[in-house]
Amino acid sequence: MPTGTDQPTQATPRSPRGPRGNGALSSEAIHQRILAAVMEHKLPPGTQLVEERLARIFSVSRTKVREAIGRLVHDRIATNIPNRGAFVSSPTADEAREVFFARRLIEPNLIRTVARLATPRHIQQLRAHVAREAEARTTPGREHELITLTGDFHILLAEISGNSFLVRTLRELESLTALIILLYDAPDEQHCAHDEHPRLVDAIEARDGERAALLMHTHLEHVEHSLKLAPPEAGEVDLESVFA
């Protein structure tokens, strides 16, 4: 979430009411309904997305459901397991911690380089990006877009560094991070405080690499600690109740 090599997923609008009896419901609308349920933690990691049941719930063909699930798989929100079906993706808590450990090794040094190389145009790009984050943060229904934007900020830093290998690495790490945030974001917690990215830009503009590195390390720790990295509760999810 996500911020990988795939195209960012568009913001999720509010879910339409009354899925039953609506044969005209598009695969896009079904995708949005399922994605919203994942974001709201109604469909925990490991939940099977049964095509037949979902087609019955939404009163549509299995083809439409299959298309919607295919997009979720494309965005790594769901995982397709041969001969078993599609499931909400479930990176483990240990895998999540490994992702953040890797990022803390890489990004403080990366931002030191950015503080040394950034031009006024780069600072302008960063300020404009932070402004887009602020707009998404204060607009209802744009939570998923905000996850994507906050991830893209880190990729932009890698691009400013001029190191193509780091850009590819950050894209992969950000894609995994977005998925982890999407699945394990704790209620009433901010995974990215509103002032942390602006403060990073301030340090870059001041060419204070050491301060920028310290802020980045603290920022990544804060994101990790805002998550509820616990195994999902066992038991089958009642899909009909989720989408009632």
Side-chain angles (χ1 to χ4, degrees), residues 1-4 9 75 77 144 147-148 151 173-183:
M1 237 164 186
T3 54
T9 303
D75 291 339
I77 305 305
H144 189 231
I147 293 175
T148 299
L173 289 173
E174 272 300 342
S175 178
L176 292 169
T177 301
L179 177 60
I180 289 163
I181 290 172
L182 186 63
L183 297 177

Side-chain angles (χ1 to χ4, degrees), residues 30-65:
I30 296 166
H31 165 266
Q32 292 168 357
R33 290 293 304 273
I34 299 172
L35 178 59
V38 173
M39 292 180 65
E40 293 164 9
H41 304 278
K42 294 177 181 178
L43 294 178
T47 300
Q48 185 172 9
L49 302 174
V50 183
E51 285 185 11
E52 184 177 0
R53 288 177 65 187
L54 289 169
R56 185 171 62 250
I57 289 167
F58 294 121
S59 297
V60 298
S61 68
R62 290 182 65 175
T63 299
K64 284 189 176 182
V65 171

Side-chain angles (χ1 to χ4, degrees), residues 108-229:
N109 283 321
L110 167 64
I111 203 168
R112 284 191 184 96
T113 300
V114 173
R116 178 170 53 85
L117 297 178
T119 65
R121 183 180 178 184
H122 291 142
I123 299 300
Q124 187 178 32
Q125 287 179 310
L126 290 167
R127 296 285 186 201
H129 190 92
V130 167
R132 288 195 294 274
E133 290 180 18
E135 182 183 359
R137 195 184 304 276
T138 56
T139 306
R142 296 179 65 182
E143 294 82 5
H144 189 231
E145 182 183 358
L146 178 60
I147 293 175
T148 299
L149 284 169
T150 54
D152 286 345
F153 175 85
H154 292 260
I155 295 171
L156 179 56
L157 293 177
E159 291 172 345
I160 292 172
S161 77
N163 188 314
S164 60
F165 180 79
L166 284 178
V167 172
R168 291 195 299 272
T169 301
L170 259 294
R171 285 189 185 280
E172 181 177 356
L173 289 173
E174 272 300 342
S175 178
L176 292 169
T177 301
L179 177 60
I180 289 163
I181 290 172
L182 186 63
L183 297 177
Y184 294 108
D185 195 19
D188 304 320
E189 288 282 352
Q190 279 192 326
H191 70 269
C192 183
H194 70 91
D195 63 337
E196 291 186 351
H197 284 180
R199 291 171 64 198
L200 287 167
V201 179
D202 290 342
I204 292 169
E205 187 171 26
R207 300 201 179 279
D208 190 341
E210 291 308 311
R211 179 167 175 265
L214 178 60
L215 288 171
M216 177 63 78
H217 190 279
T218 302
H219 171 56
L220 293 171
E221 282 192 331
H222 175 245
V223 175
E224 180 179 357
H225 293 159
S226 73
L227 303 177
K228 186 181 179 182
L229 295 177

